[in-house]
Amino acid sequence: MLKQIEGTANFIKDRITYDPEVGIILGTGLGGLVNEIDINETLSYDDIPDFPVSTVEGHHGRLIFGRLNGKSVVAMQGRFHYYEGYSAEKITFPVRVMKFLGIKHLFVSNASGGVNPDFEIGDLMVINDHINLIPNPLIGKHEKGFGPRFPDMSNVYDSNLISTFKQIAKTHDIKLQEGVYTAVTGPTFETPAEYKYFRIIGSDTVGMSTVPEVIVAHQMGIPVFAISIITDLGVPGKIMEVSHEEVQKVASKAEKKMTLLIKEMMGKL
Ligand code: HPA
């Protein structure tokens, strides 16, 4: 595994002009950020040795290298999900590669279903903790070069990044929620009983991504910032039918504010 990661990182290094400082996983609702990147290089996932390839509609598959508001970034346009049939280890392979490329921060976005009754559709929620219900990506052979075998998880989401982000949102009068994201495998959305259960166990929102990548980034010592767009509500009395299309539609409406906030954030790192 370590050899593969090094091999992939070296393949990429030979093709880029400068090393990225920031990694960004462009989840649902952050696709528009690409238009703000002064692009230097792009590499299709198909052309990168050992890289997984995205199979989900609406998720492209390439690595984008360039500058965003003064920072050199690598953005993943298209991410991988456990429900696609990849192992949690494979999903997180790109994060390990980005670490080997030298990133100092990781930004992640996603779409999720709100189970906190105070949430509204279209809200942005800063993730300050998580509950992982997807198999752990660290299961398997341990490589010393990855970090600890048993990582501490008492403080995963970087509090400095969170407070900077909140300040930026305040300046723009953008409403922010903050809370716990629970990661599930999908691909089914939840039943009403499941939404209720997720609220009871301490979730504010439920989604099908992000946590595997965050666990790996944290193990490797990368400060993480993650944000979720609430695209539907799993709150008793407010539960409506949900579809992938609806999730994409709501997320794209929030794209403008997400893009603005993440772009400004780069200037504050
Ligand atoms: N549940 C799980 N994943 C999701 C949801 C949801 O309600 N909305 C967007 N992604």
Side-chain angles (χ1 to χ4, degrees):
M1 176 76 160
L2 193 59
K3 272 220 171 77
Q4 275 181 352
I5 292 160
E6 279 169 347
T8 303
N10 288 336
F11 173 90
I12 294 171
K13 275 184 188 168
D14 286 345
R15 284 158 182 80
I16 55 177
T17 31
Y18 46 84
D19 294 341
E21 299 161 68
V22 182
I24 307 172
I25 302 178
L26 301 171
T28 311
L30 204 51
L33 193 70
V34 169
N35 304 323
E36 303 292 326
I37 300 175
D38 191 3
I39 299 177
N40 225 272
E41 229 83 57
T42 63
L43 290 174
S44 172
Y45 294 163
D46 306 332
D47 298 330
I48 306 174
D50 291 321
F51 232 68
V53 179
S54 182
T55 64
V56 190
E57 217 178 292
H59 293 261
H60 300 274
R62 54 185 192 150
L63 279 185
I64 295 168
F65 294 86
R67 292 196 89 80
L68 177 63
N69 197 9
K71 286 283 172 314
S72 111
V73 301
V74 49
M76 284 181 68
Q77 191 177 32
R79 66 129 64 85
F80 308 102
H81 305 82
Y82 192 72
Y83 62 73
E84 292 176 80
Y86 298 114
S87 66
E89 188 182 71
K90 193 77 182 172
I91 292 168
T92 52
F93 182 83
V95 176
R96 298 213 186 273
V97 170
M98 288 194 280
K99 168 72 181 181
F100 278 64
L101 294 177
I103 64 162
K104 307 283 183 292
H105 301 280
L106 180 69
F107 286 77
V108 193
S109 81
N110 64 47
S112 63
V115 294
N116 181 326
D118 297 334
F119 286 7
E120 290 176 46
I121 289 176
D123 280 355
L124 300 184
M125 188 193 89
V126 171
I127 301 175
N128 64 16
D129 204 348
H130 72 231
I131 296 171
N132 184 34
L133 300 177
I134 300 178
N136 197 297
L138 308 189
I139 291 171
K141 185 171 175 286
H142 179 60
E143 306 270 6
K144 272 214 180 80
F146 289 171
R149 165 86 278 195
F150 303 104
D152 169 74
M153 297 295 281
S154 60
N155 191 11
V156 176
Y157 297 88
D158 190 87
S159 49
N160 290 326
L161 294 177
I162 291 177
S163 67
T164 306
F165 193 85
K166 281 175 158 173
Q167 275 166 19
I168 298 170
K170 204 170 166 194
T171 325
H172 292 282
D173 216 8
I174 293 173
K175 177 183 164 198
L176 276 189
Q177 305 283 9
E178 189 174 340
V180 176
Y181 174 90
T182 291
V184 292
T185 65
T188 49
F189 292 106
E190 287 67 36
T191 65
E194 286 166 343
Y195 281 128
K196 192 170 161 194
Y197 161 76
F198 288 127
R199 182 62 184 153
I200 291 168
I201 65 168
S203 325
D204 292 294
T205 190
V206 188
M208 306 176 196
S209 69
T210 301
V211 170
E213 293 102 311
V214 167
I215 290 173
V216 163
H218 187 66
Q219 184 197 33
M220 299 190 95
I222 308 168
V224 173
F225 178 84
I227 184 153
S228 193
I229 302 172
I230 310 303
T231 54
D232 51 280
L233 294 174
V235 172
K238 294 187 186 168
I239 297 176
M240 289 188 316
E241 239 181 72
V242 55
S243 65
H244 183 62
E245 290 69 31
E246 184 61 21
V247 165
Q248 300 281 331
K249 203 168 111 194
V250 175
S252 69
K253 281 194 202 149
E255 195 162 290
K256 220 169 137 194
K257 55 182 177 182
M258 281 277 271
T259 303
L260 172 81
L261 294 172
I262 298 287
K263 187 179 167 188
E264 273 205 28
M265 190 75 187
M266 295 299 122
K268 309 266 185 203
L269 295 177

